[in-house]
């Protein structure tokens, strides 16, 4: 007879072309045996400010994916993508409502996880690093501003093919990260769950003293928090420990 005692189960809705967040999530969890992660994918291949890109993040698509995850009896469901950062927090609140109404399971998104982290840590001024194009960055900055978060400086890599984001190297990220930290934000934000920002979080924090919030780590942190599970080790972002 199966045991009733089991690890916390986190369900993640993953962009189809994302090759970072699943392996990175398990690297962050390390040797932990109290949490397991279970994924389903939705079609996402391109990030831009147009209708064809926006349709990738439709709430009905998220609901269908969440219903699949619910069959695994997960404890929390996360849309592990940052689309709400440019589409607006209201878009992601609607996704969470759709998921919870369809499954009865608590839910979050990467964007709502960031907003929860900003509130929890008193973050008001950020440095923003993304792989996106300049117009997407501008939309993110405007969206965050509506939530009371001021972007004091930002960097973007002018990419739009989602699969390419995971091929950005640590060496390509580090110079811009150090430049952003030099402006003394409350936190440096790596915005994209297909970007390996967590790889250099500890180094950037040690060299600059500026806290770092990486999208994969922040989404996992919020999912763990909603599930009532222990949080993260400090090397993945000292605020998330």
């Amino acid at each position: 007879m199966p045991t009733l005692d089991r690890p916390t189960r986190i369900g993640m809705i993953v962009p189809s072309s994302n090759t970072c967040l699943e392996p990175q999530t398990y690297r962050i969890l390390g040797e932990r045996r109290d949490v397991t992660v279970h994924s389903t994918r939705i079609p996402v291949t391109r990030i831009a400010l147009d209708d064809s890109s926006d349709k990738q993040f439709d709430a009905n698509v998220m609901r269908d994916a969440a219903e699949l995850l619910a069959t695994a009896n997960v404890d929390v469901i996360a849309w592990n993508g940052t689309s709400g950062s440019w589409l607006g927090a209201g878009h992601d609140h609607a996704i969470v409502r759709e998921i919870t109404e369809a499954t009865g399971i608590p839910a979050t998104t990467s964007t709502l996880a960031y907003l929860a982290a900003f509130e929890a840590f008193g973050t008001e001024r950020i440095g923003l690093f993304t792989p996106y194009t300049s117009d997407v960055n501008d939309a993110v900055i405007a969206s965050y501003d509506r939530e009371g978060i001021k972007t004091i400086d930002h960097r973007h890599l002018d990419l739009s093919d989602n699969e390419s984001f995971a091929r950005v190297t640590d060496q390509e990220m580090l110079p811009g990260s150090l430049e952003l930290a030099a402006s003394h934000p409350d936190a440096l934000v790596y915005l994209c769950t297909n970007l390996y920002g967590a790889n250099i979080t500890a180094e950037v924090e040690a060299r600059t003293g500026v806290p770092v919030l990486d999208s994969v780590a922040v989404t996992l942190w919020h999912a763990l928090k909603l599930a009532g599970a222990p949080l993260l080790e400090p090397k993945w972002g000292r605020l998330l420990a």
Side-chain angles (χ1 to χ4, degrees):
M1 183 164 181
T3 179
L4 297 178
D5 183 23
R6 62 164 177 79
T8 297
R9 294 177 184 168
I10 297 176
M12 291 187 175
I13 302 172
V14 179
S16 59
S17 53
N18 187 311
T19 61
C20 166
L21 76 84
E22 290 157 312
Q24 191 75 308
T25 295
Y26 269 108
R27 288 186 190 118
I28 292 170
L29 288 171
E31 297 301 314
R32 289 179 63 168
R33 295 292 181 266
D34 63 313
V35 179
T36 59
V37 178
H38 310 275
S39 301
T40 191
R41 290 180 174 246
I42 63 169
V44 177
T45 58
R46 177 174 162 270
I47 302 301
L49 300 184
D50 57 44
D51 288 344
S52 64
S53 176
D54 293 351
K55 286 177 181 176
Q56 299 173 118
F57 312 112
D58 183 79
N60 292 328
V61 174
M62 301 292 180
R63 182 196 63 224
D64 292 345
E67 288 176 338
L68 287 175
L69 288 170
T71 66
N73 193 26
V74 295
D75 299 296
V76 62
I77 295 173
W79 156 230
N80 213 323
T82 54
S83 53
S85 296
W86 60 87
L87 295 175
H91 180 270
D92 278 19
H93 283 298
I95 286 174
V96 165
R97 285 195 300 272
E98 193 79 24
I99 289 173
T100 302
E101 288 173 4
T103 67
I105 297 170
T108 188
T109 74
S110 297
T111 297
L112 299 183
Y114 265 121
L115 294 179
F118 295 155
E119 182 177 4
F121 309 134
T123 303
E124 298 178 345
R125 302 163 64 256
I126 66 168
L128 178 67
F129 190 107
T130 84
Y132 307 135
T133 53
S134 60
D135 58 339
V136 174
N137 261 35
D138 290 342
V140 171
I141 291 166
S143 176
Y144 275 173
D145 187 65
R146 291 192 293 272
E147 301 298 324
I149 305 301
K150 180 176 177 57
T151 304
I152 60 174
D153 198 2
H154 68 106
R155 297 290 184 276
H156 52 86
L157 300 178
D158 285 321
L159 303 174
S160 58
D161 172 26
N162 195 67
E163 185 276 333
S164 71
F165 303 161
R167 291 186 271 119
V168 176
T169 66
D170 298 353
Q171 292 72 28
E172 290 171 322
M173 295 181 64
L174 190 56
S177 301
L178 297 177
E179 291 169 3
L180 288 171
S183 62
H184 304 294
D186 296 333
L188 171 60
V189 169
Y190 291 127
L191 189 71
C192 178
T193 63
N194 202 23
L195 189 69
Y196 280 95
N199 284 358
I200 59 173
T201 289
E203 179 179 357
V204 172
E205 289 191 340
R207 290 178 63 173
T208 69
V210 174
V212 175
L213 296 173
D214 164 76
S215 292
V216 175
V218 168
T219 308
L220 178 57
W221 166 84
H222 199 223
L224 291 169
K225 195 171 184 181
L226 289 175
L231 302 180
L232 306 180
E233 294 182 11
K235 68 180 179 179
W236 305 110
R238 66 175 189 251
L239 296 178
L240 304 178

